[in-house]
Amino acid sequence: MSGSDRQPRMGGGVTVSPSIDGAGREWEGERRSSEEAELEDGATDSVDLRLVPAALAAWAGMWLASSGEAALIGLGVCAGLTAVLIGWRRLSWPLVAVGIVLLGCQLAAGVRVWQAQNDPIRALASQSAVAVVEVRLTGSVRSGEGQGHRPDWWAADAVLLSLEGRGQGYLSGGLVSVMASGTQVAAWQAVAPGSVVRATVRLASEREPGGALAVARAREPPSSWRRRRWPMWPWNGSPRAPRRCSWAGTRSSRPGSCAGGGDTTAMPADLVEQFRTTGLTHLTAVSGANLTLLLASLSLGARWIGLRGWWLRGCLVLGVLGFVALCRAEPSVVRAAAMGMAGLAALGMGKRAVSQGIRLLSVAVIGVLLIDPWMARSLGFTLSVLASSGIIWWARPWTDALATWLPRPLAEACCVPLAAQLATQPVVTAISGQISVVGLVANVVAGPLVGPATVLGFGAAAVSVLWLPPASLLGWLAGWCAQALCWIARLGALVPGAATSWPTTPAAVVLVSIACLAAASLVPRLLAIRWLCVLLATGLIVILVRPPGPPGWPPPEWQVVACDVGQGDAIVLRAGPQEAVLVDVGPDPDGVARCLAGLGIRRVPLVVLTHFHADHVGGLGGLAQLGVEQLVISAVTSPDYGFQGVLADAPGAQRTIAQAGAVVTVGAVQLTFVSARPILTSSGDEGESAAENDSSLVMRARVGELSVLLAGDLQEAGQEHALRTAGDLGVDVLVVPHHGSGHQLPAFLAASRARIAIFSVGADNDYGHPAPRIVGIIQDLGMTIARTDLQGSIGIRRRGTELLLTVQR
């Protein structure tokens, strides 16, 4: 036996291993070299999903326990115990861990739910108690102009310091939502965030489970308040103020109209909707993507100055703390910090990026849920997790495939939003009823601007602590990036095929999910083929410019269409080929413009506005290119903001005051005005708004042989007047007045003798429209019910004695 083959032995036949300085070190070196070679050859390690079941178990446990329902909690406990017992018998320790996590999270959430249910302040809120509170405003100020019967309003989040009510006093540190309306708004708007305020309020229960302790509705202006300066900020008010103010100077038309970093208080409603239509809503939120961009830039700068190892990690942790401080430690900020850290940690991991990213994302999910169990029921949290998962799982291989023939930065700009959009599309479709077609294009174009806008904006906020002039310069530069994002959203929303309606039924959402997964499996192969990518991009552009409608829509030879414009009315009467008369225009220009484009309407010579509430006149600007020649309006010009908006949106149209008995004919459409009355004095709860509703124009429209009764927002007094003065109200179709509210006279509904009743109403609206009682009355009258909130736009035509009803979804 050669010397190299001899093994030294000791008593008892124990074999001594070779010295670490000998063959063992050589073998270890060979193993490391082979691993490095394997990575260099492009092989990837198997994806580590061991923490995913634990994260899902935590999510399920928090969701079940936060429901507060004994049956669901019992189901969760049984599932957890079953997992532990089966895992123990089979020695499957991962299954045991899943069961323990499920039980532990249910216990943690159960304790939080019990504390919330037994909180004395929540009890006072459930009794609508009047109390004197002392609160410190924390920011997140929102406000809005009055619409319809709603007055101007103001709202802000606050920390409840003390409360006196029902003969008791309480100290607290919980969150409340403070609200004011009407004439009190101006006084509350003067209070800077961070100030301590004392006021008399009426408490109300918070709708969202796990949200604020209560809603405090101000009964008077603040009786006393003292300004509190943020300890680390040299300005009074919200820490987001310097970014918002410095950006405001870049707006060419509407100062402060495009905010960022989660502060959307200065964004008008139409711009918010345009960001939603183009799939850019995530840019206006405090998101993990924003934090990842910030930390990636910070990491680049830190490496440039030589920081490595724990010094670099410490610098990034300080960046996270600064992000949370700037945006305030609200639930969305905590969520963004967790997701952003997971996304950043997965950057630069090479072949281990997917495994490392999934592990860190799982830990982030568990951590966020332990901090706030009600996040398990948050759609925002769901979308954040799905977007992060899609980016971690798909973005890197897709980028590698596309980078074979495209510059890598551009490939990443395409693949990252595509991965996020495919991952979140099923949930987005379920809550919006739309598929954003323009979203990918908009995100690709916006991609190069997001980084500079985010980094410059946060840089402006940080530098302003030390010196305002350079902070203003950074904010000015960030503002131009933000303004460009606004332009992209506005232009994208104007594209005819920006969004496609889609049903929200479970089967339809499952179909979208299957389609997204199938697309995700094909994307890497498709992206590697240049000519196929060009062909698909060309097809996408064609769809955007000339979108195909839903199957069967619009119906052939339609005569009347009730557009799905949300909470509002927009009734299209077909006057001829590509020509129509419009009765009311809905609340939003984009909504009515999309509806008319889908119907092939190119000209609207006549528009009738039943009254001047925003949900009936707000969309008039969407008809700017359709040749509106004449407006028929009510003699009542209240509310003034609605009337002035009409003057601004249709300056060149001839205005005619409707008169009872007047008949107007345009092509195949004949309008007979059966009631046009001056405003009434109302003693109802809705005050002047009820009187404005009762001044709505009432008309009978005839399109060929089809007849329709249109009555705006007419309520009981107006309907009674119409019954007395209008004569025969019999028609084929009734557009139920006031979106089906409870303010209806059964005699008026019966007098229409309609066979079809249309409810033009927004999904999940705050008004409770249509009222169940009114739905029941109409059903008892034998009418067929069609609803825009459930079925989309509604088309009707008459063929002989038969009425043909077609719905968009």
Side-chain angles (χ1 to χ4, degrees):
M1 180 182 293
S2 66
S4 61
D5 292 331
R6 288 194 299 267
Q7 297 281 351
R9 292 182 179 273
M10 296 181 65
V14 177
T15 301
V16 179
S17 299
S19 168
I20 193 170
D21 293 325
R25 171 176 290 179
E26 181 179 352
W27 182 84
E28 288 289 332
E30 291 175 354
R31 181 171 65 86
R32 285 196 298 272
S33 298
S34 65
E35 289 178 348
E36 293 171 357
E38 184 180 21
L39 291 178
E40 290 172 359
D41 290 337
T44 61
D45 58 336
S46 59
V47 179
D48 185 357
L49 301 177
R50 288 175 295 176
L51 281 179
V52 172
L56 294 176
W59 201 329
M62 295 296 187
W63 190 91
L64 293 169
S66 62
S67 69
E69 298 182 12
L72 292 178
I73 295 173
L75 178 64
V77 171
C78 291
L81 291 175
T82 301
V84 170
L85 292 176
I86 293 177
W88 187 273
R89 286 179 60 87
R90 297 184 178 181
L91 299 180
S92 176
W93 306 121
L95 185 57
V96 172
V98 168
I100 292 174
V101 169
L102 180 59
L103 294 172
C105 286
Q106 286 188 95
L107 177 61
V111 171
R112 297 281 294 276
V113 170
W114 180 86
Q115 290 176 335
Q117 291 175 342
N118 291 274
D119 190 284
I121 295 174
R122 290 184 189 271
L124 290 174
S126 66
Q127 301 167 15
S128 299
V130 175
V132 177
V133 298
E134 188 172 89
V135 298
R136 183 177 70 249
L137 302 185
T138 59
S140 296
V141 177
R142 291 90 64 195
S143 62
E145 296 180 352
Q147 292 188 2
H149 66 268
R150 289 188 169 186
D152 295 348
W153 60 273
W154 173 94
D157 296 334
V159 174
L160 179 62
L161 303 178
S162 65
L163 181 146
E164 301 171 9
R166 299 288 172 90
Q168 299 289 328
Y170 303 92
L171 297 178
S172 175
L175 293 176
V176 295
S177 296
V178 182
M179 301 185 69
S181 60
T183 57
Q184 302 173 21
V185 168
W188 283 93
Q189 285 179 330
V191 181
S195 300
V196 177
V197 177
R198 184 177 180 85
T200 301
V201 301
R202 180 177 292 277
L203 300 177
S205 297
E206 173 65 58
R207 292 183 180 180
E208 294 295 328
L213 288 174
V215 176
R217 302 184 185 278
R219 304 192 70 189
E220 60 183 13
S223 57
S224 64
W225 60 279
R226 59 184 183 274
R227 189 182 299 270
R228 174 190 174 98
R229 297 179 68 88
W230 291 78
M232 60 181 296
W233 311 115
W235 61 86
N236 282 320
S238 166
R240 299 176 187 172
R243 282 186 295 145
R244 182 171 67 240
C245 294
S246 60
W247 292 15
T250 68
R251 316 297 189 266
S252 59
S253 58
R254 211 181 278 187
S257 64
C258 190
D263 188 347
T264 60
T265 56
M267 292 179 67
D270 63 329
L271 185 60
V272 173
E273 180 61 29
Q274 288 159 356
F275 267 75
R276 184 180 297 113
T277 300
T278 53
L280 298 175
T281 304
H282 61 94
L283 300 182
T284 66
V286 179
S287 67
N290 290 338
L291 179 59
T292 301
L293 283 169
L294 177 66
L295 294 183
S297 301
L298 184 62
S299 175
L300 183 64
R303 290 176 183 274
W304 184 74
I305 63 175
L307 295 183
R308 296 292 188 276
W310 286 105
W311 288 103
L312 177 61
R313 296 185 182 95
C315 179
L316 298 180
V317 169
L318 289 177
V320 174
L321 294 177
F323 174 85
V324 174
L326 283 169
C327 297
R328 301 180 298 272
E330 299 169 351
S332 61
V333 178
V334 174
R335 179 186 72 214
M339 299 303 157
M341 286 294 289
L344 180 73
L347 295 176
M349 293 291 180
K351 302 299 180 180
R352 297 182 295 118
V354 174
S355 293
Q356 186 74 0
I358 292 297
R359 284 198 299 269
L360 291 169
L361 181 62
S362 300
V363 172
V365 167
I366 296 172
V368 169
L369 291 172
L370 288 174
I371 294 172
D372 186 356
W374 285 274
M375 278 287 184
R377 295 176 170 271
S378 166
L379 283 174
F381 180 66
T382 302
L383 291 172
S384 184
V385 173
L386 288 174
S388 299
S389 301
I391 292 171
I392 291 171
W393 191 270
W394 291 326
R396 189 179 189 88
W398 293 2
T399 300
D400 292 341
L402 190 58
T404 57
W405 59 273
L406 202 66
R408 191 170 189 87
L410 185 57
E412 289 179 346
C414 294
C415 293
V416 170
L418 178 59
Q421 185 168 353
L422 279 180
T424 58
Q425 190 61 63
V427 176
V428 172
T429 300
I431 60 180
S432 68
Q434 289 185 337
I435 296 177
S436 177
V437 182
V438 78
L440 174 59
V441 177
N443 275 279
V444 169
V445 176
L449 298 167
V450 176
T454 303
V455 175
L456 289 170
F458 279 104
V463 173
S464 63
V465 177
L466 304 175
W467 195 16
L468 285 177
S472 298
L473 175 61
L474 292 174
W476 182 78
L477 295 173
W480 277 110
C481 295
Q483 183 63 67
L485 294 175
C486 295
W487 288 335
I488 292 170
R490 291 189 185 279
L491 291 175
L494 293 176
V495 176
T500 299
S501 298
W502 190 265
T504 56
T505 61
V509 174
V510 169
L511 181 60
V512 172
S513 303
I514 295 173
C516 289
L517 291 174
S521 66
L522 296 174
V523 164
R525 298 182 181 91
L526 298 177
L527 292 179
I529 305 174
R530 180 186 305 185
W531 68 266
L532 188 55
C533 289
V534 173
L535 181 63
L536 291 175
T538 304
L540 178 60
I541 294 173
V542 171
I543 291 174
L544 289 173
V545 175
R546 192 173 183 84
W553 188 265
E557 300 179 4
W558 62 271
Q559 293 173 295
V560 174
V561 167
C563 291
D564 178 15
V565 291
Q567 183 66 18
D569 277 3
I571 309 300
V572 187
L573 309 173
R574 188 172 192 172
Q578 299 185 335
E579 187 173 272
V581 171
L582 207 57
V583 178
D584 289 332
V585 291
D588 173 52
D590 294 334
V592 69
R594 280 196 300 269
C595 180
L596 294 174
L599 296 173
I601 299 301
R602 298 293 179 263
R603 185 168 176 268
V604 181
L606 174 65
V607 174
V608 181
L609 302 176
T610 58
H611 62 303
F612 291 102
H613 284 174
D615 56 336
H616 292 254
V617 303
L620 189 57
L623 311 183
Q625 305 301 318
L626 297 180
V628 178
E629 300 171 357
Q630 186 175 9
L631 289 176
V632 177
I633 60 177
S634 168
V636 178
T637 58
S638 173
D640 185 65
Y641 68 83
F643 178 65
Q644 295 299 328
V646 168
L647 298 182
D649 289 336
Q654 178 184 351
R655 294 186 296 277
T656 302
I657 304 298
Q659 302 293 331
V663 177
V664 179
T665 301
V666 178
V669 176
Q670 182 184 78
L671 292 175
T672 302
F673 293 90
V674 299
S675 178
R677 59 201 295 262
I679 195 167
L680 296 178
T681 301
S682 173
S683 58
D685 293 338
E686 297 177 75
E688 291 184 0
S689 178
E692 292 160 358
N693 287 339
D694 282 327
S695 70
S696 296
L697 301 178
V698 183
M699 69 206 78
R700 185 190 297 109
R702 184 170 292 279
V703 185
E705 297 300 317
L706 179 69
S707 57
V708 186
L709 184 61
L710 302 146
D713 281 352
L714 210 64
Q715 299 184 181
E716 295 97 334
Q719 292 175 13
E720 183 179 2
H721 178 269
L723 284 173
R724 290 197 315 266
T725 62
D728 183 19
L729 294 175
V731 290
D732 298 318
V733 179
L734 169 68
V735 178
V736 183
H738 203 191
H739 321 289
S741 77
H743 296 285
Q744 311 283 341
L745 281 182
F748 179 85
L749 302 176
S752 71
R753 302 193 302 279
R755 288 188 277 169
I756 295 176
I758 296 176
F759 289 99
S760 184
V761 62
D764 302 321
N765 63 85
D766 295 335
Y767 305 93
H769 296 163
R773 179 178 65 87
I774 302 305
V775 173
I777 290 174
I778 288 178
Q779 288 175 332
D780 292 342
L781 291 172
M783 301 182 196
T784 298
I785 292 177
R787 295 174 50 167
T788 58
D789 61 332
L790 302 179
Q791 299 162 304
S793 296
I794 298 161
I796 302 173
R797 67 187 176 102
R798 180 167 179 159
R799 187 173 60 189
T801 60
E802 185 181 18
L803 297 183
L804 302 180
L805 174 68
T806 305
V807 297
Q808 194 175 29
R809 59 175 186 261

